[in-house]
Amino acid sequence: MNTKEIISSIALIVREKFEKESSGHDWWHIYRVWQLSKLIAEQEQADVFIVEIASLLHDIADWKFNNGDEKAGGKAARELLSQFNLPLETTDLIVEIIDNVSFKGAEIETKMKSIEGEIVQDADRLDAIGAIGIARTFAYGGHKGRSIYDPAVEPVLHKSFEEYKKSESPTINHFYEKLLLLKDRMNTQTGLKIAEERHLFMENFLAEFYREWNLTYTFVPEK
Ligand code: NI
């Protein structure tokens, strides 16, 4: 199998696995992260094959749906990759990316060791912000039974992964606990450029949300 064939057969396996997800964590999320990773990889100096495979597998056994086992993704990826006879270093690099790509809380650093990992992490984070990020956040909040907003509940900057996982705060708080923090965590220049646009869009969304919530309308009397 050549690299193109390996990529498309992995894409097919992942697509079948995720096609039935409805929490905002579906095949189309994987697809967007894959395409965005490729786009960033072409701007930066990186191994595009590694980036494509790692992005396709980055959520293969996401901790949110695996009783908190943070290594479940890496294990599942290694098992899946074993059928393709890749060099061990390639598999190790991909597994390392998958084990470290997730956001684990506002005050927890998750540093990637390779440029390929930095790119996949940027792409995954970019899909969490902007218009698509907003849509996904409310879809996920609904899936978890969270309210959209509660003026009495203040956002919390989680100091541990445990705390972050247990959070039941309203979905609007998630903007302050995660989404608005992502721009400053971009690894690559290309990622940062895209993040700045998407960040601004979220700030405008929040401003309008509060304007509607608080009815801060001014009416100029017509003559
Ligand atoms: Ni993801």
Side-chain angles (χ1 to χ4, degrees):
M1 252 194 233
N2 64 33
T3 55
K4 250 204 166 107
E5 290 165 339
I6 294 174
I7 291 166
S8 44
S9 52
I10 290 174
L12 198 68
I13 295 167
V14 175
R15 181 172 188 154
E16 277 167 5
K17 187 176 161 71
F18 282 88
E19 203 121 67
K20 289 179 185 78
E21 279 282 342
S22 62
S23 60
H25 225 88
D26 54 9
W27 159 249
W28 291 113
H29 161 67
I30 313 281
Y31 177 82
R32 291 187 303 266
V33 172
W34 173 28
Q35 298 306 309
L36 198 48
S37 294
K38 216 167 29 168
L39 183 86
I40 299 171
E42 284 158 5
Q43 301 298 315
E44 310 277 331
Q45 297 300 320
D47 183 327
V48 183
F49 177 71
I50 303 262
V51 166
E52 288 199 56
I53 302 296
S55 59
L56 277 166
L57 295 178
H58 84 277
D59 274 336
I60 195 76
D62 195 284
W63 57 263
K64 291 184 210 74
F65 305 99
N66 263 282
N67 303 317
D69 178 2
E70 289 166 50
K71 298 282 176 202
K75 282 181 216 158
R78 192 177 291 280
E79 204 185 299
L80 194 150
L81 290 173
S82 64
Q83 60 187 289
F84 297 102
N85 291 316
L86 297 175
L88 184 62
E89 312 88 76
T90 306
T91 304
D92 285 347
L93 186 53
I94 294 167
V95 168
E96 195 267 332
I97 293 171
I98 293 160
D99 280 337
N100 293 292
V101 78
S102 267
F103 183 87
K104 297 193 167 68
E107 306 217 343
I108 299 141
E109 273 242 44
T110 37
K111 267 247 160 288
M112 300 305 293
K113 293 192 187 96
S114 60
I115 177 70
E116 288 78 18
E118 290 183 332
I119 289 169
V120 176
Q121 191 174 56
D122 277 3
D124 192 33
R125 288 174 171 178
L126 283 167
D127 200 55
I129 63 177
I132 288 173
I134 293 169
R136 287 182 67 211
T137 303
F138 285 102
Y140 186 69
H143 173 74
K144 287 284 194 179
R146 293 176 188 158
S147 60
I148 60 171
Y149 179 51
D150 182 343
V153 185
E154 294 275 328
V156 185
L157 294 184
H158 302 105
K159 289 195 171 58
S160 78
F161 187 39
E162 284 308 304
E163 242 185 88
Y164 174 69
K165 271 192 286 191
K166 274 189 266 165
S167 168
E168 282 171 7
S169 51
T171 300
I172 285 287
N173 291 20
H174 198 61
F175 285 81
Y176 303 94
E177 292 163 359
K178 176 181 175 184
L179 308 189
L180 293 169
L181 307 172
L182 293 178
K183 173 175 68 69
D184 294 329
R185 293 191 176 206
M186 285 294 127
N187 301 302
T188 66
Q189 276 309 308
T190 313
L192 180 62
K193 260 187 223 156
I194 303 170
E196 280 168 344
E197 274 185 34
R198 296 187 181 196
H199 187 90
L200 186 64
F201 185 84
M202 290 194 297
E203 287 183 329
N204 292 335
F205 168 79
L206 288 169
E208 175 62 14
F209 186 93
Y210 296 125
R211 196 169 88 97
E212 293 180 13
W213 191 281
N214 299 316
L215 303 177
T216 43
Y217 295 106
T218 38
F219 299 102
V220 182
E222 273 180 61
K223 280 191 185 162

